[in-house]
């Protein structure tokens, strides 16, 4: 790197967030389909787990197929998946929030999160995680609703989002520094379509529905974190009620996460190449609230959806 140059920031700009949100409009939108899959957990899978009298998925596989190897394999695989795809992401996102809100060093923030999570998990067990989930859900959903309201107010409602998003085109970065096609910075004509063309679409709807159903069935019906919470229910009636509530909550990410992300592209359509570290202040002009209400979940109590 030449002296005096500024390294690219690892933090996404509002424009980048808008591009990602547009892509995940399809994924999260069709992700409404798992709200039906999660009902299979309460009505089909949990009764089987309860009749087997197990408390974990490795234990169920051991009872079902016998032997130690398949149980050990699933335990090791789950451990690696949680460390590299869930816990690490939770730690990093939580540390970024603390760094931005309190000005702490990012490594100090990670250590603080680990200490707090370890203390209340060891002392309180699964009950502590349950109560933490409830409190954090209320705080996060409330903050997200506030942010969504301000975002739609600034963009002029849904009609303003549709009109503004299709015109929010940024200047592509120099080819010498980024290997990105200029077409990636132009909105797709089907950006607001949940089910896209099976031939010309970037994610054809037949493959997406089939693949998503398989993936959702694995995650919602066999993942240890999800199943563990169901097995801790007082009765099967409580388990089914929790699955229904979870299905309703699955509707919210479309409105609380994806659409505000697309609005950020409309409000801040600047070139991503101009976003270097340290970031210049966002040109909010006092319009949008600070993200103080959007509390980042503690790693020990989260399960990624």
């Amino acid at each position: 790197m030449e002296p005096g140059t500024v390294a690219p920031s690892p933090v996404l700009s509002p424009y980048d967030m808008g591009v990602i949100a547009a892509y995940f409009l399809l994924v999260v939108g069709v992700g409404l389909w798992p709200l039906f899959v999660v009902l299979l957990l309460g009505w089909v899978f949990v009764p089987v787990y309860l009749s087997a009298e197990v408390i974990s998925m490795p234990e169920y596989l051991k009872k079902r197929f016998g032997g130690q190897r398949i149980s050990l394999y699933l335990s090791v695989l789950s451990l690696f998946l949680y460390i590299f795809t869930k816990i690490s992401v939770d730690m990093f996102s939580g540390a970024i929030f603390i760094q931005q809100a309190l000005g702490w060093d990012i490594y100090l923030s990670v250590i603080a999160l680990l200490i707090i999570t370890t203390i209340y998990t060891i002392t309180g067990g699964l009950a502590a995680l349950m109560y933490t989930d409830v409190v954090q859900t209320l705080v996060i959903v409330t903050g997200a609703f506030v942010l969504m309201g301000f975002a739609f107010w600034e963009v002029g409602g849904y009609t303003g989002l549709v009109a503004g998003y299709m015109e929010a085109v940024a200047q592509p970065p120099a080819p010498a520094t980024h290997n990105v096609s200029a077409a990636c910075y132009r909105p797709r004509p089907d950006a607001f379509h949940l089910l896209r063309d099976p031939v010309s679409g970037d994610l054809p709807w037949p493959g997406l529905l089939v693949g998503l159903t398989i993936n959702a069935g694995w995650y919602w019906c066999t993942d240890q974190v999800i199943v563990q919470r169901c097995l801790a229910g007082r009765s099967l009636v409580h388990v089914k009620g929790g699955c229904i509530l979870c299905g309703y909550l699955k509707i919210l990410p479309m409105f609380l996460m994806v659409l505000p992300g697309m609005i950020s592209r409309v409000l801040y359509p600047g070139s991503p190449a101009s976003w270097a570290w340290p970031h210049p202040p966002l040109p909010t002009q006092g319009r949008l609230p600070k993200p103080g209400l959007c509390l980042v979940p503690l790693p020990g109590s989260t399960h990624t959806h």
Side-chain angles (χ1 to χ4, degrees):
M1 182 177 296
E2 296 294 332
T5 58
V6 181
S9 170
V11 182
L12 295 176
S13 71
Y15 179 87
D16 296 322
M17 294 172 63
V19 174
I20 295 174
Y23 179 79
F24 280 97
L25 169 65
L26 178 60
V27 177
V28 178
V30 182
L32 297 176
W33 173 245
L35 70 86
F36 300 103
V37 178
V38 74
L39 298 180
L40 295 177
L41 173 63
W43 270 262
V44 177
F45 285 83
V46 169
V48 175
Y49 299 146
L50 292 178
S51 63
E53 298 181 347
V54 297
I55 60 174
S56 68
M57 294 310 300
E59 182 183 3
Y60 173 77
L61 291 181
K62 180 180 178 180
K63 278 193 172 184
R64 174 64 178 82
F65 298 102
Q68 295 285 348
R69 288 179 296 179
I70 189 171
S71 176
L72 179 62
Y73 169 76
L74 181 60
S75 299
V76 174
L77 178 63
S78 299
L79 181 62
F80 274 95
L81 288 177
Y82 274 100
I83 291 176
F84 292 105
T85 67
K86 295 184 179 181
I87 296 178
S88 57
V89 176
D90 289 338
M91 296 303 304
F92 180 73
S93 61
I96 288 294
F97 175 83
I98 295 177
Q99 182 189 48
Q100 296 294 321
L102 303 179
W104 291 10
D105 178 77
I106 189 170
Y107 296 103
L108 177 61
S109 303
V110 170
I111 294 174
L113 282 176
L114 287 174
I115 293 176
I116 295 174
T117 305
T118 301
I119 291 175
Y120 81 75
T121 302
I122 294 178
T123 57
L126 183 60
L129 300 182
M130 295 293 191
Y131 284 113
T132 305
D133 281 346
V134 173
V135 173
Q136 290 184 152
T137 298
L138 295 176
V139 173
I140 293 172
V141 171
T142 301
F145 266 112
V146 173
L147 179 62
M148 181 190 69
F150 275 94
F152 273 104
W153 176 269
E154 289 297 326
V155 82
Y158 183 76
T159 55
L161 170 61
V162 174
Y165 185 84
M166 304 309 294
E167 299 175 357
V169 180
Q171 180 67 29
T177 57
H178 295 79
N179 185 22
V180 179
S181 171
C184 295
Y185 293 90
R186 293 193 297 269
R188 290 179 55 89
D190 57 357
F192 286 86
H193 293 185
L194 295 181
L195 300 179
R196 298 180 180 176
D197 191 270
V199 177
S200 61
D202 53 348
L203 288 175
W205 69 264
L208 185 64
L209 285 181
V210 174
L212 185 63
T213 302
I214 297 174
N215 186 42
W218 161 76
Y219 182 78
W220 289 103
C221 300
T222 65
D223 184 77
Q224 173 62 26
V225 172
I226 305 298
V227 173
Q228 183 185 45
R229 282 158 169 75
C230 290
L231 296 179
R234 292 184 178 181
S235 66
L236 189 57
V237 174
H238 285 197
V239 172
K240 292 180 179 179
C243 292
I244 294 175
L245 175 61
C246 183
Y248 280 115
L249 292 177
K250 281 291 293 179
I251 302 175
L252 298 181
M254 168 65 71
F255 306 98
L256 301 185
M257 298 169 59
V258 176
L259 294 182
M262 299 177 72
I263 291 174
S264 69
R265 174 172 178 166
V266 178
L267 298 180
Y268 313 109
S271 170
S274 65
W275 287 84
W277 187 264
H279 285 320
L282 292 179
T284 58
Q285 300 177 356
R287 297 180 300 173
L288 295 181
K290 294 182 179 180
L293 288 176
C294 299
L295 184 64
V296 173
L298 293 175
S301 62
T302 60
H303 47 275
T304 307
H305 301 289

